[in-house]
Amino acid sequence: MPVWETGLAMVVYLIACALQGAVGFGANLFAVPLLALINPSLVPVPVLLVSPVLNGLMTWRERGHVEKPILTWTLLGRLPGVALGVVALQAFSGDRLGVLFGVLLLLAVGLKVSGLAPQRSKKLLLGAGGLSGFMATTVGVGGPPVALTLHDLDGPSFRATMSPYFLIGTSMSVVGLALGGQITGQDFVTALWLAPAVVAGVALSGPLRSRIDAGRVSTSVYVLSAVAAVALLLRSLL
């Protein structure tokens, strides 16, 4: 991968991690479609490999107020979703994979902006975890289905529950991809280049948390993610 692509990817992911640290979500929703446009090899594996660093830092910072039953059921549901995601990655290649990325990224944006407020139940949590596992393993973005089930939680509980879900869930996806032979040495090298951006982004997010308008940032993330996903879809189709 050319040096300029690596540098641009690091800048994109630094901004993405700063956004998640400040708002509580959105790192991969923001970064993945842009990274895929920069160089398709950046997603989903390198992003998933470096995600535990981001989510480990967030879990430590947001510790407390974890909704343990929610965490348990969504993680149980994630297991079959990860397995299906690994199979899907093996079945798709080239432009077909770009189409899959574009469609699932638009689905992720749609779920996040839908305004749905489903009544939480064990079945819903299992289903949300399954869809999240599939989307995270195939495109690196798995937050929206689970976030919908937490719509009624306050900010501290939301962040404290989502952070360990992402930490454990992305680790599941990494293991699944490794067992499916989808991880290469170059993926680890790329993830190492992204790691400093994660640490810098989380550090920058601290002073930003009380200074930014979360609503405006969220809207900007949705719009940019949707535009990038459409661009990726069109490039793959044309």
Side-chain angles (χ1 to χ4, degrees):
M1 189 166 61
V3 173
W4 73 267
E5 289 184 352
T6 301
L8 184 57
M10 291 177 70
V11 172
V12 167
Y13 211 61
L14 185 153
I15 296 171
C17 293
L19 286 173
Q20 177 149 328
V23 180
F25 81 100
N28 286 355
L29 186 61
F30 171 86
V32 163
L34 296 176
L35 294 177
L37 288 172
I38 294 169
N39 191 317
S41 68
L42 288 163
V43 293
V45 178
V47 169
L48 286 171
L49 286 173
V50 79
S51 285
V53 178
L54 168 62
N55 296 307
L57 293 172
M58 291 291 295
T59 297
W60 173 255
R61 193 174 75 177
E62 305 294 340
R63 62 192 182 278
H65 303 97
V66 178
E67 295 287 341
K68 293 182 180 179
I70 294 175
L71 184 61
T72 299
W73 287 108
T74 50
L75 288 173
L76 285 174
R78 189 176 177 109
L79 287 169
V82 169
L84 289 174
V86 172
V87 172
L89 278 181
Q90 293 173 335
F92 286 81
S93 61
D95 290 340
R96 292 176 64 197
L97 188 58
V99 172
L100 177 66
F101 273 36
V103 170
L104 289 182
L105 287 168
L106 287 175
L107 174 62
V109 174
L111 286 172
K112 205 72 179 75
V113 303
S114 66
L116 294 174
Q119 185 175 359
R120 194 160 49 244
S121 66
K122 291 179 181 179
K123 290 182 179 180
L124 178 66
L125 292 172
L126 286 168
L131 180 58
S132 171
F134 178 79
M135 294 176 65
T137 306
T138 51
V139 301
V141 180
V146 174
L148 281 177
T149 69
L150 310 186
H151 63 88
D152 58 337
L153 296 185
D154 57 29
S157 295
F158 177 85
R159 291 191 297 269
T161 303
M162 288 297 290
S163 295
Y165 170 76
F166 284 139
L167 174 61
I168 300 170
T170 53
S171 299
M172 287 181 180
S173 294
V174 168
V175 171
L177 290 169
L179 292 175
Q182 297 292 313
I183 300 178
T184 67
Q186 184 57 48
D187 291 325
F188 282 104
V189 173
T190 304
L192 285 174
W193 278 110
L194 292 176
V198 173
V199 177
V202 173
L204 287 172
S205 71
L208 292 175
R209 296 177 75 187
S210 60
R211 298 182 182 181
I212 66 173
D213 184 329
R216 290 183 180 180
V217 171
S218 300
T219 300
S220 299
V221 170
Y222 301 148
V223 172
L224 184 58
S225 299
V227 170
V230 169
L232 178 63
L233 189 57
L234 290 175
R235 188 179 72 175
S236 299
L237 290 172
L238 301 177

